[in-house]
């Protein structure tokens, strides 16, 4: 996947009036938090931010250029106006890629279970898993292929392979999916 980039400029003025003026100029007020908890007020181009924001997940690492300095960051939060269909404010979390982070992933499924094709029904047990890794090693999403699961089979957390750099913190014996026989 290509690296997504958002350019930002530091800003001195804060408050409602300054934020309104920024939005009128096609920019979005934002804040960049680092791992020590320090915050820097910035503003980003609305069109560039929206293009990136609409194509990522909560665990997608982007490159944030603040006044020419680049850093890896997550888009932590946004304030969105549903009426005007625009982002009013954004929060970024800058990471150093030296400290592992913990993230939760909602599981996504692909395929049709073999047991379902034979008349059984699929039961989903665990909707999400918890993962620990360096930010650069985090997967964008976790997709489980359910097609080989037959009636009576159980797919467990230990059956998910996310690579050697990612540790799954959810108990390994937790059941994700099972296929039960028809009654």
């Amino acid at each position: 996947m290509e690296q997504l980039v958002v350019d930002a400029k530091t800003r001195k003025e804060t408050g409602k009036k300054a934020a309104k003026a920024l939005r009128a100029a096609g920019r979005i007020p934002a804040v960049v938090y680092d791992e020590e908890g320090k915050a820097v007020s910035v503003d980003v181009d609305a069109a560039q931010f929206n293009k990136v924001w609409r194509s990522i997940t909560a665990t997608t690492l982007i490159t944030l250029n603040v006044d020419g300095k680049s850093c890896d960051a997550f888009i932590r939060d946004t304030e969105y106006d549903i009426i005007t269909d625009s982002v009013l404010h954004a929060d970024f979390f800058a990471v150093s890629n030296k400290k592992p982070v913990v993230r939760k992933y909602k599981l996504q499924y692909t395929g049709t279970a073999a047991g379902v094709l034979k008349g059984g029904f699929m039961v989903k047990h665990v909707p999400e898993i918890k993962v620990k890794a360096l930010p650069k090693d985090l997967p964008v999403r976790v997709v489980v292929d359910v097609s080989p699961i037959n009636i009576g089979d159980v797919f467990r957390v230990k059956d998910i392979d996310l690579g050697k750099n990612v540790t799954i913190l959810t108990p390994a014996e937790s059941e994700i999916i099972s296929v039960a026989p028809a009654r």
Side-chain angles (χ1 to χ4, degrees), residues 29-119:
V31 177
V32 179
Y33 298 96
D34 65 9
E35 291 173 329
E36 287 111 40
K38 295 178 189 165
V40 176
S41 296
V42 298
D43 62 82
V44 296
D45 179 61
Q48 182 188 33
F49 178 81
N50 281 319
K51 183 179 176 187
V52 170
W53 178 63
R54 293 181 189 278
S55 66
I56 64 168
T57 66
T59 56
T60 304
L61 203 58
I62 64 165
T63 300
L64 183 64
N65 293 329
V66 180
D67 295 331
K69 287 183 175 176
S70 337
C71 65
D72 289 334
F74 293 108
I75 297 177
R76 178 185 271 173
D77 193 22
T78 56
E79 184 181 343
Y80 180 74
D81 185 352
I82 195 166
I83 295 169
T84 61
D85 188 36
S86 61
V87 176
L88 302 175
H89 186 271
D91 288 340
F92 295 95
F93 180 63
V95 293
S96 65
N97 274 322
K98 293 183 177 124
K99 227 166 55 172
V101 294
V102 175
R103 292 284 186 263
K104 285 184 180 178
Y105 285 86
K106 286 196 186 304
L107 296 170
Q108 297 177 358
Y109 306 100
T110 183
T112 303
V116 171
L117 296 174
K118 295 175 184 171

Side-chain angles (χ1 to χ4, degrees), residues 12 18 25 31 54 68 98 114 167-168 176 179:
K12 305 276 186 265
V31 177
R54 293 181 189 278
K98 293 183 177 124
T167 305
I168 299 175
I176 294 177
V179 176

Side-chain angles (χ1 to χ4, degrees), residues 167-180:
T167 305
I168 299 175
L169 300 176
T170 305
E173 290 299 318
S174 297
E175 294 180 358
I176 294 177
I177 290 179
S178 61
V179 176

